[in-house]
Amino acid sequence: MGPMSQLVDGLNSQQVLAVTHAGGPCLVLAGAGSGKTRVITRRIAWLVDERAEDPAGICAVTFTNRAAAEMRARVRALLGREPEGLWLLTFHAMGLRLLRQVAGQPGAPRPGFAVSDRADSLGTWRQAQAEAGVDAHELSPNALYEACSRARNRLEDPRAWDREGRPWDQRAAGRVFSLYRDAMQGRGVLDFDDLLEWPLRLLACNPDLTAPWQSRFRHLLVDEYQDTNRLQYRLVRSLLGPESSLMVVGDEDQSIYRWRGAELANVLDFQADFPGATVVRLEQNYRSTQPILRAAGSLVAHNRERLGKALWTEEPGGEKPQFMLCAGERQEAVWVAKQIACALAEGTAASEVAVLYRTNAQSRAFEEEFAGRRIPFRVLGGPTFFRRTEVKDLLSWARLLIADDDTAFVRAAARPVRGVGPVTVSSLSQRAGSAAAALRQAMASSDPEAALRGFGCLSRALPGLLSMGRLTAELRAALGEVELGALIERILHVSGYADFLRAQQDGEERLGNVDELIASATEFGGSALATERSVAAFIDRAALVSDTDLARGSGGGVSLMTIHAAKGLEFHTVFVAGLEEGLFPHASSVQEGQVEEERRLCYVAMTRARRRLLLSAARLRRVRGQERLQQTSRFVGEIDPVALDLHEDPVTTVARAAQGSRRSSRRDHPRPSPAPSGARRATRPVNPHARGTGVPAPLAALQPGTAIFHPKFGPGRIFETQGAGDRLKLSVSFTGAGTKQLIARFAKLQLLT
């Protein structure tokens, strides 16, 4: 290609060190936006052009086909030719290539083996589960399959679970796995886990196969090393020979896939695993402004499990990140929508804006608000809220209360299963116009069972139909007696759907989505009693919000996604919503002692922003159908106070928030007009490290809306008072400590000026 200067042209000094590394083990700690892909591709080109290495002796692995294709294209452009023999591929593609080349040898798959995708593998699993006599309604085939897959990536054998006396669901999974494994191998079919597990087994047990591969690959490069699991780590080590050079590129601060098996220890222990290893830190950032980097860096610095780096940029200036404490989740969505409307009016493209959140269920409020304001958006990494299975299932039950709808009837009968299948539905429809109408008419008769037999219903379907008939009659009777949100909640429990979800592997997340549906219905219906008209209007609005063209079109709308789905992406403007204790950090992670991973997740979210970063939280959020006071996330208080502008809604009490939340979603669901160009909502800044006046605050001055300072909890604002004089009690929202109830005369409060 030419002199070495062309290959390192434009690189900073640390990138040059990584690209031209002489050999031996090397850990490249590549901070967010530091140009890691450039380093990997330049390294490969440098090895081929400057070191005259045979491309066939280089193996570089990454995690996605897209990343592999991009790297190949860059290497080809750098060299000006195709590097013949180079392995630049995903982990699974590498395993497949290894197995293809050794197929037919002792212990290897037979020649011509097939690879089954996940859907086909699940089909085989379901057959094995039926053969094992494990009820698919009691234990989800998908959940058992995933549990065994995760175990295999931890180098566990699920077949041993039964004899090890594991919990009953794991023992059942192990028995099914044994039958599944026999079925797959009998057909000469491998699943995706086999593509990693089988090569490792061969390399560990067959020196005759191992030696050629270890001598072939003189250079191994691993991208996104922080995301590797134990199986991938062991596979890479098995390919290393005495003369091999290993370079791994990763960032311990972006390790966010523990739930998928990723081992942070693979990065943290690299120098112990490979004594004498070189460590190169890529700290110059080419994506974000310095204020964003300062805020994100100050947060992740609170983690103990890290090797440490400090990102910086040569680009001057930049807007300081903002944090907004909103009165409620609806107000949070309104604030975000108004900020986006301003940004769009000022020329920012909608495709350059993202709203990130911790859980999928949080998208609901934003979808509704954006739809009402005609802000184009798309939901990435999952279906829009109202298209999620559990949401559609419950809305089908609601539809049955007001209409003879067979589509809703079939869906409601399917989960939990009631023995009402297509044959029954077809028979009832032919006799009465629709199965739903037949059931309603039968239940109105003096002998529902005889009436259903008269409609041609088979005996085995009678129990399920009678059960559905009684349930729908009971729920119809609730119309005019309970509010809309309470009606949806009653459907959830009376139908048995809540118990059905709890039995699923992902039941907690799905119940969270159901909670959001109940919250949406409560906001929509307010305190009015549910009627056929309000139920129909709510279902209609759900259909409009989930319109494909609006929510998932390719028209470059605002991106709504979980933070996990945002990994690897970047946007001009990023909103990180729901920074509340129990939500972010998530309660389950706190219980499991995984706060550091949650903090890394927040760091990843913040570093997706190039120019503007806006964080938000709600004081009040509907959880499990009830409005709850929320504590602001500890992460907000951990960010360097100099690096963050903090704001809150002006003088908004919790009571007003609750009333406003109900009023904002009546049947007509009025929407405020978007803010004019350049307008920003009036806010009152609160400095979390400000101190008081130095003298005790007069009790008479302690009124709702007053900013105060507490010697232990720091700055906060009073949002509610009870009593007077010596009996005065205060409810205070503290910026860093959440909500506290205090007795005023003992609190030693000072006024903030």
Side-chain angles (χ1 to χ4, degrees):
M1 176 177 177
M4 188 181 96
S5 60
Q6 293 185 8
L7 281 174
V8 299
D9 186 43
L11 301 183
N12 63 47
S13 59
Q14 292 298 104
Q15 290 174 330
V16 171
L17 284 177
V19 167
T20 62
H21 175 62
C26 179
L27 169 62
V28 179
L29 289 176
S34 62
K36 71 175 181 64
T37 302
R38 173 186 289 190
V39 165
I40 294 172
T41 52
R42 296 283 184 110
R43 169 72 175 172
I44 294 171
W46 185 82
L47 288 171
V48 173
D49 234 31
E50 297 295 329
R51 291 273 298 271
E53 295 282 358
D54 183 355
I58 302 173
C59 177
V61 288
T62 186
F63 276 83
T64 67
N65 289 311
R66 185 185 67 179
E70 179 186 348
M71 289 182 188
R72 279 196 299 269
R74 289 199 192 188
V75 171
R76 190 184 308 117
L78 287 167
L79 293 174
R81 64 185 186 279
E82 188 68 41
E84 297 294 337
L86 170 69
W87 283 33
L88 206 171
L89 64 188
T90 65
F91 271 101
H92 288 93
M94 178 181 72
L96 176 59
R97 190 174 295 185
L98 286 168
L99 291 175
R100 289 290 185 206
Q101 296 194 17
V102 300
Q105 298 188 39
R110 66 193 189 196
F113 67 84
V115 178
S116 173
D117 64 20
R118 188 180 184 280
D120 289 341
S121 297
L122 266 174
T124 303
W125 181 278
R126 291 190 182 95
Q127 295 172 8
Q129 186 160 335
E131 184 181 343
V134 177
D135 190 345
H137 304 304
E138 187 175 14
L139 290 174
S140 162
N142 182 72
L144 295 187
Y145 178 87
E146 288 297 330
C148 289
S149 176
R150 289 192 296 270
R152 295 170 70 185
N153 282 280
R154 293 193 305 267
L155 302 176
E156 289 184 36
D157 185 352
R159 291 173 294 187
W161 289 351
D162 199 20
R163 65 175 181 268
E164 291 175 354
R166 296 289 188 93
W168 69 276
D169 56 336
Q170 290 189 22
R171 295 200 304 272
R175 292 195 299 274
V176 176
F177 177 74
S178 183
L179 295 173
Y180 164 82
R181 184 83 169 192
D182 291 344
M184 295 285 281
Q185 292 189 7
R187 292 163 39 207
V189 177
L190 277 62
D191 63 20
F192 269 50
D193 292 323
D194 285 322
L195 297 182
L196 300 180
E197 191 178 44
W198 208 322
L200 177 60
R201 189 165 62 245
L202 286 171
L203 292 170
C205 303
N206 194 330
D208 292 337
L209 290 178
T210 305
W213 292 111
Q214 289 184 341
S215 62
R216 170 177 175 168
F217 292 129
R218 291 178 49 82
H219 295 276
L220 280 88
L221 297 92
V222 183
D223 185 27
E224 302 286 8
Y225 191 63
Q226 77 281 348
D227 294 337
T228 54
N229 58 37
R230 210 62 190 167
L231 176 53
Q232 291 159 338
Y233 166 83
R234 287 280 301 278
L235 184 56
V236 169
R237 292 214 65 164
S238 297
L239 290 172
L240 288 172
E243 304 300 323
S244 299
S245 176
L246 172 67
M247 175 176 286
V248 301
V249 182
D251 181 6
E252 82 279 22
D253 291 334
Q254 297 188 74
S255 178
I256 59 173
Y257 296 115
R258 178 188 59 87
W259 51 274
R260 208 166 64 185
E263 290 273 0
L264 177 61
N266 291 347
V267 175
L268 300 180
D269 297 343
F270 187 84
Q271 291 171 280
D273 291 341
F274 301 94
T278 300
V279 178
V280 178
R281 285 175 166 80
L282 304 185
E283 298 176 307
Q284 184 173 353
N285 180 278
Y286 296 92
R287 176 190 299 158
S288 306
T289 63
Q290 190 61 43
I292 292 173
L293 297 179
R294 181 175 183 178
S298 67
L299 171 65
V300 80
H302 287 269
N303 276 0
R304 294 182 178 181
E305 289 187 309
R306 65 190 301 256
L307 299 175
K309 70 186 74 65
L311 296 185
W312 59 277
T313 180
E314 289 182 341
E315 187 171 340
E319 180 180 321
K320 188 184 293 188
Q322 299 180 43
F323 169 75
M324 170 61 76
L325 178 59
C326 301
E329 60 190 301
R330 173 59 60 185
Q331 287 78 10
E332 180 183 41
V334 169
W335 177 74
V336 170
K338 286 186 173 182
Q339 293 288 319
I340 291 175
C342 291
L344 299 183
E346 293 167 359
T348 301
S351 60
E352 280 289 344
V353 180
V355 180
L356 310 182
Y357 34 76
R358 178 62 179 83
T359 65
N360 276 311
Q362 290 172 255
S363 74
R364 189 267 309 172
F366 298 107
E367 290 183 43
E368 292 179 351
E369 194 64 38
F370 292 0
R373 293 175 180 271
R374 309 306 299 172
I375 294 175
F377 69 92
R378 54 190 184 138
V379 178
L380 303 179
T384 58
F385 178 80
F386 287 104
R387 285 184 178 265
R388 290 171 186 147
T389 299
E390 54 274 16
V391 172
K392 292 177 68 176
D393 286 348
L394 287 178
L395 289 179
S396 293
W397 275 98
R399 179 72 176 164
L400 279 182
L401 305 186
I402 61 173
D404 293 332
D405 186 327
D406 270 5
T407 300
F409 181 90
V410 171
R411 190 171 192 107
R415 284 177 292 272
V417 173
R418 301 177 190 276
V420 181
V423 174
T424 299
V425 173
S426 176
S427 176
L428 294 175
S429 297
Q430 290 174 6
R431 303 291 183 91
S434 77
L439 182 59
R440 178 174 48 78
Q441 294 170 27
M443 297 307 295
S445 69
S446 58
D447 189 346
E449 186 171 334
L452 287 171
R453 290 184 186 277
F455 284 129
C457 177
L458 299 176
S459 297
R460 63 176 178 269
L462 281 173
L465 283 171
L466 291 170
S467 172
M468 283 193 70
R470 287 190 291 269
L471 292 175
T472 50
E474 177 185 342
L475 291 167
R476 282 193 188 103
L479 289 171
E481 295 183 357
V482 299
E483 298 175 359
L484 183 59
L487 177 66
I488 300 298
E489 187 167 14
R490 185 170 295 190
I491 291 172
L492 171 67
H493 295 289
V494 169
S495 67
Y497 198 70
D499 293 334
F500 167 76
L501 288 183
R502 289 190 187 99
Q504 309 304 310
Q505 183 77 10
D506 56 351
E508 282 303 313
E509 180 177 353
R510 295 173 68 182
L511 280 167
N513 290 333
V514 170
D515 287 340
E516 283 295 317
L517 177 66
I518 294 170
S520 178
T522 301
E523 291 176 358
F524 184 81
S527 59
L529 298 180
T531 63
E532 288 192 12
R533 184 175 179 180
S534 65
V535 171
F538 181 62
I539 293 172
D540 286 346
R541 192 188 63 158
L544 291 174
V545 169
S546 61
D547 180 82
T548 302
D549 291 335
L550 177 63
R552 296 186 62 81
S554 57
V558 173
S559 296
L560 294 173
M561 69 185 88
T562 64
I563 302 167
H564 283 102
K567 179 74 159 41
L569 303 179
E570 59 182 71
F571 302 89
H572 176 279
T573 300
V574 169
F575 294 83
V576 185
L579 277 160
E580 301 146 34
E581 286 293 311
L583 185 57
F584 197 15
H586 197 274
S588 61
S589 297
V590 174
Q591 293 167 2
E592 296 170 9
Q594 297 296 329
V595 173
E596 290 211 354
E597 175 143 334
E598 292 287 292
R599 192 176 286 113
R600 291 193 293 269
L601 190 60
C602 191
Y603 170 81
V604 166
M606 295 170 73
T607 54
R608 300 310 94 196
R610 291 199 300 268
R611 292 294 177 269
R612 293 192 70 212
L613 173 63
L614 302 100
L615 316 177
S616 63
R619 270 207 195 103
L620 197 72
R621 188 174 295 273
R622 188 169 291 276
V623 181
R624 300 282 190 243
Q626 301 294 320
E627 288 180 329
R628 293 185 184 177
L629 283 171
Q630 298 288 93
Q631 291 187 15
T632 301
S633 171
R634 69 191 72 187
F635 298 156
V636 176
E638 291 173 353
I639 296 173
D640 183 349
V642 178
L644 189 64
D645 279 339
L646 292 100
H647 307 273
E648 66 174 320
D649 287 335
V651 196
T652 305
T653 68
V654 170
R656 288 175 185 164
Q659 294 168 1
S661 180
R662 288 193 293 269
R663 283 198 302 267
S664 67
S665 295
R666 299 295 186 185
R667 268 192 295 275
D668 55 341
H669 205 61
R671 307 280 182 175
S673 301
S677 175
R680 301 290 184 203
R681 181 173 180 174
T683 60
R684 178 167 12 189
V686 175
N687 181 349
H689 294 267
R691 300 197 65 84
T693 59
V695 296
L699 295 183
L702 300 177
Q703 300 294 326
T706 302
I708 53 86
F709 181 86
H710 187 278
K712 178 179 179 182
F713 303 127
R717 193 177 301 279
I718 301 168
F719 63 81
E720 193 171 32
T721 62
Q722 292 181 345
D726 288 349
R727 295 185 177 183
L728 178 63
K729 296 180 181 179
L730 310 174
S731 294
V732 184
S733 176
F734 290 99
T735 302
T739 300
K740 304 291 182 183
Q741 279 70 46
L742 307 173
I743 298 175
R745 67 190 179 108
F746 297 128
K748 299 180 181 179
L749 300 178
Q750 300 171 20
L751 296 179
L752 282 177
T753 56

